[in-house]
Amino acid sequence: MLKTLVPGILVIALQNYDIEKAGLVNHCRLCFFFAQGLCLLLCLLLRWRISSAKETGEKVHVPALEQFGHEVKPAAVMTVPEYDVSKWREQVQQLVVGATVCFGIHCKWGFVTPIVMQIVMTPMNMLDSPLAKVYLYRKTAKGELLRPWAHPNPFGLPGVPGSKTAKERKLEAKKNQKKK
């Protein structure tokens, strides 16, 4: 809930308060780099915790990733650490690309809104990720945290219709094994 309200509140606040006239652009830049650096440090901590986690031998059946009707990534069977490292790489890539694009927009056109949004939203998204919940908060991988995790919608919308939760996929796999 908070994750959906914060961007709107930030945009409204930025429309009513001129950061440039207040002389806070450099402060925003500093906070932007601090937030991105903090998130990169969190990523390093996550990677360290993934590599130091005990190997249980559990396998994760990752379904094929399809976009616009084309298979982008084939289905795979991975161990839990392999799966978590692949998700960690995706998260780092998203962090670096997002920061680069936002700062590029700021440098090219002088918009302050994207970097202020990134100051708040990047750490919030990072701490709300399944990897953070499992490795930072030490939550057990049950329920919503059961692997494989659903791919987040890039537009922040609810999941794609027809996409199944981890629990539904696990029940389906058990049914398929019983049929054989």
Side-chain angles (χ1 to χ4, degrees):
M1 172 87 174
L2 181 66
K3 202 172 163 181
T4 56
L5 291 176
V6 170
I9 292 169
L10 274 174
V11 169
I12 291 169
L14 289 171
Q15 286 176 347
N16 293 325
Y17 186 75
D18 193 356
I19 290 176
E20 290 178 32
K21 282 184 184 175
L24 297 175
V25 175
N26 285 334
H27 294 84
C28 289
R29 289 177 185 151
L30 183 66
C31 288
F32 172 79
F33 285 116
F34 179 75
Q36 300 309 310
L38 179 68
C39 288
L40 284 173
L41 286 174
L42 279 174
C43 281
L44 290 174
L45 176 63
L46 284 173
R47 181 65 173 104
W48 178 73
R49 290 209 174 152
I50 290 169
S51 63
S52 63
K54 295 177 192 171
E55 174 67 47
T56 60
E58 185 180 345
K59 299 288 183 183
V60 179
H61 298 274
V62 183
L65 177 63
E66 291 186 13
Q67 289 180 346
F68 305 112
H70 297 287
E71 189 174 295
V72 179
K73 239 185 202 179
V77 177
M78 303 176 173
T79 63
V80 170
E82 287 173 344
Y83 179 75
D84 290 349
V85 166
S86 73
K87 287 297 176 184
W88 176 81
R89 282 189 181 123
E90 287 177 18
Q91 196 166 15
V92 170
Q93 181 181 11
Q94 181 181 7
L95 177 68
V96 171
V97 169
T100 305
V101 168
C102 282
F103 197 71
I105 289 170
H106 171 69
C107 288
K108 177 75 175 167
W109 293 289
F111 297 140
V112 180
T113 304
I115 62 172
V116 172
M117 295 289 286
Q118 286 286 80
I119 291 169
V120 177
M121 295 307 296
T122 302
M124 188 183 278
N125 289 333
M126 177 80 133
L127 293 172
D128 193 40
S129 72
L131 274 177
K133 288 177 182 175
V134 171
Y135 289 103
L136 290 180
Y137 305 138
R138 307 278 187 181
K139 290 187 177 180
T140 318
K142 294 180 182 174
E144 286 184 356
L145 296 178
L146 190 62
R147 293 169 185 93
W149 298 313
H151 288 280
N153 188 313
F155 304 110
L157 301 171
V160 180
S163 64
K164 298 175 184 171
T165 64
K167 189 175 184 179
E168 291 169 338
R169 289 189 299 264
K170 194 170 187 177
L171 287 172
E172 187 177 302
K174 284 182 181 179
K175 286 180 184 177
N176 289 338
Q177 287 178 350
K178 288 178 182 178
K179 287 180 183 178
K180 292 180 182 180

